Amino acid sequence: MKRFTIPRELYHGEGALEALKTLDGKRAIICVGGGSMKRGGFLDKVVAYLEEAGMETKLFEGIEPDPSVETVMKGAAVMQEFQPDWIVAIGGGSPIDAAKAMWIKYEYPETTFEQMCVVFGLPKLRTKAKFCAIPSTSGTATEVTAFSVITDYEKGIKYPLADFEITPDIAIVDPALAETMPKKLVAHTGMDAFTHAVEAYVSTVHSNYTDPLAIHALEMIQEYLIPSYNGDMSCRAEMHDAQCLAGQAFSNALLGIVHSMAHKTGAVFQDLGAHIIHGAANAMYLPKVIQYNAKNEEAKKRYGVIADYLHLGGNTDDEKVAALVAEIRRMNDELNIPQCIAHYGADGLPAEQGFVPEEVFLERVEEIAANAILDACTGSNPRQPNQEEMVKLFKCVYYDTDVDF
């Protein structure tokens, strides 16, 4: 038996934010990140709409990119004191992911972070509060997914929380919020969404319910991402919908080792002064993982279907896989995303000499590979890598060499 779960209500299109007026409750806590939602006037609108609905509101601000375990615990403590019956998270994936984890701790105060990380092991939520997610970026789709990613900075590891219980009750996908994204964020979040759709389509848990969502998302992203990156706001609006479709696909079909690898490299080089931004990591790693997974005949056939829908040409599945890899690399170049870790520079931009020295990478790669194999996303990948293969795969994404094993 398989399951397909998305929010009960999904409001989308221009003016969708006004749906907040219809919520029924007494108290709402609003979880938000940096200042972009405040500067754009969206935070004030959220407060006004909730107050119009008759609710007392409280802000929990300053949730950092790649939210930490410490932030989750602080936010949950504020919720314990305020006792909201709605948790409203607005912004990029980070504040929404953090608020999901806070929600668990709020409803079950004795729960440890380690217990939260047990895949599909959470108790029933909604005993105290419901959850509304409002994304401002077009990539993570956490507003419709059963996932959250929280970083343990002491270990330098991102941990995915996975359970249908943390699928929001309401998602509000209003394109006006996406207009605030800086250009680099458009690129990184867009390739994150592209990766979601590709991995969902070839996942071992894909189904007739997820395949159409993944394919249409890929068609839309191919058409709209680069114009969105170049400033076309009508394409920016289309991308906001496309990433949400990809999210509905992967939340139910799950992901693969592109995400396993990205989760385990995101913060592991933090001591060198920067981290590998999640969307950029996915964009760099996806072509290599496609080459690796295509040794599985079923996966190769499904990559070929993707290539056909994207009109990439090729007479055989091998030719179509090569065309798909080339298309992703072309998109990376158009979006100013590096092709490998060795050339991953400050702010996620291409550099002749990246910030991860070869000797440091080689010192850490065995442990990184071991952690990636244990990641929650590995189980639904078409091929199950052993330690030796995962190390070799990471070396391919460091040096930008083809995968031939």
Side-chain angles (χ1 to χ4, degrees):
M1 180 177 70
K2 295 181 180 180
R3 176 173 173 175
F4 186 87
T5 300
I6 56 176
R8 187 177 186 277
E9 306 284 353
L10 201 163
Y11 298 94
H12 59 96
E14 186 179 348
L17 199 61
E18 290 192 36
L20 291 168
K21 296 177 184 179
T22 68
L23 300 193
D24 184 24
K26 294 179 180 178
R27 286 179 298 277
I29 188 166
I30 304 163
C31 300
V32 67
S36 64
M37 292 298 94
K38 183 178 288 186
R39 288 191 300 273
F42 297 110
L43 189 56
D44 287 342
K45 286 184 178 181
V46 168
V47 171
Y49 290 149
L50 290 170
E51 289 179 348
E52 189 173 337
M55 281 192 254
E56 179 187 354
T57 62
K58 185 176 185 65
L59 296 180
F60 183 84
E61 300 182 78
I63 297 171
E64 73 272 42
D66 301 301
S68 64
V69 177
E70 290 74 19
T71 295
V72 168
M73 298 308 166
K74 288 177 186 174
V78 173
M79 290 179 187
Q80 284 292 342
E81 183 179 345
F82 184 61
Q83 291 290 300
D85 41 24
W86 275 101
I87 298 167
V88 178
I90 179 171
S94 295
I96 299 174
D97 278 5
K100 285 181 176 181
M102 293 170 193
W103 185 22
I104 301 166
K105 185 72 174 176
Y106 167 49
E107 299 225 359
Y108 295 93
E110 303 305 315
T111 301
T112 65
F113 181 67
E114 289 70 26
Q115 290 170 325
M116 292 183 196
C117 294
V118 176
V119 176
F120 296 102
L122 293 179
K124 291 286 183 184
L125 296 181
R126 297 164 182 82
T127 63
K128 294 182 180 179
K130 292 182 179 179
F131 195 100
C132 175
I134 309 167
S136 65
T137 59
S138 303
T140 70
T142 187
E143 74 275 5
V144 292
T145 75
F147 298 95
S148 164
V149 179
I150 304 298
T151 303
D152 184 330
Y153 283 96
E154 286 188 13
K155 296 180 180 177
I157 294 176
K158 293 184 177 183
Y159 289 95
L161 314 186
D163 198 291
F164 287 117
E165 285 299 315
I166 59 173
T167 304
D169 298 279
I170 293 176
I172 298 176
V173 185
D174 190 323
L177 279 72
E179 293 181 7
T180 66
M181 285 192 293
K183 196 169 184 177
K184 184 180 74 174
L185 193 58
V186 172
H188 291 171
T189 56
M191 288 308 293
D192 190 19
F194 192 90
T195 305
H196 290 157
V198 171
E199 291 211 291
Y201 193 72
V202 302
S203 159
T204 58
V205 197
H206 76 86
S207 72
N208 291 332
Y209 294 82
T210 60
D211 285 352
L213 291 164
I215 288 293
H216 190 49
L218 288 167
E219 292 176 315
M220 291 181 72
I221 295 166
Q222 183 193 41
E223 181 174 356
Y224 297 119
L225 175 55
I226 291 170
S228 170
Y229 174 75
N230 289 324
D232 186 323
M233 288 303 161
S234 64
C235 292
R236 185 80 54 94
E238 296 285 357
M239 275 299 303
H240 214 40
D241 284 342
Q243 64 87 30
C244 189
L245 297 177
Q248 293 172 63
F250 91 79
S251 185
N252 292 280
L254 307 182
L255 292 165
I257 59 172
V258 177
H259 275 75
S260 301
M261 297 167 74
H263 290 153
K264 302 321 180 200
T265 50
V268 76
F269 301 112
Q270 191 74 21
D271 58 315
L272 300 176
H275 71 279
I276 299 179
I277 299 167
H278 180 72
N282 285 338
M284 293 188 296
Y285 304 171
L286 180 58
K288 309 306 181 188
V289 169
I290 288 173
Q291 290 177 330
Y292 174 79
N293 283 342
K295 302 297 189 291
N296 173 287
E297 287 300 317
E298 176 64 19
K300 179 163 68 173
K301 183 182 299 184
R302 293 184 73 79
Y303 288 133
V305 172
I306 291 173
D308 287 341
Y309 273 102
L310 299 184
H311 308 290
L312 301 180
N315 296 315
T316 67
D317 285 334
D318 286 327
E319 290 177 356
K320 292 173 184 179
V321 168
L324 179 58
V325 167
E327 173 69 355
I328 296 164
R329 292 177 65 89
R330 179 194 71 81
M331 292 171 70
N332 287 347
D333 285 340
E334 292 272 356
L335 297 167
N336 208 22
I337 295 174
Q339 300 288 2
C340 65
I341 297 174
H343 294 153
Y344 184 92
D347 297 321
L349 298 173
E352 190 63 35
Q353 178 61 54
F355 74 80
V356 182
E358 181 180 25
E359 61 273 16
V360 175
F361 170 79
L362 293 175
E363 283 171 7
R364 301 182 187 181
V365 67
E366 291 284 347
E367 184 178 1
I368 295 169
N371 287 330
I373 289 171
L374 295 174
D375 188 87
C377 296
T378 300
S380 45
N381 195 68
R383 282 182 76 187
Q384 290 298 299
N386 58 34
Q387 176 71 10
E388 181 184 359
E389 289 173 331
M390 186 60 90
V391 169
K392 288 169 68 176
L393 195 50
F394 269 113
K395 288 180 178 178
C396 288
V397 303
Y398 185 86
Y399 297 109
D400 193 15
T401 53
D402 286 335
V403 178
D404 59 0
F405 54 90

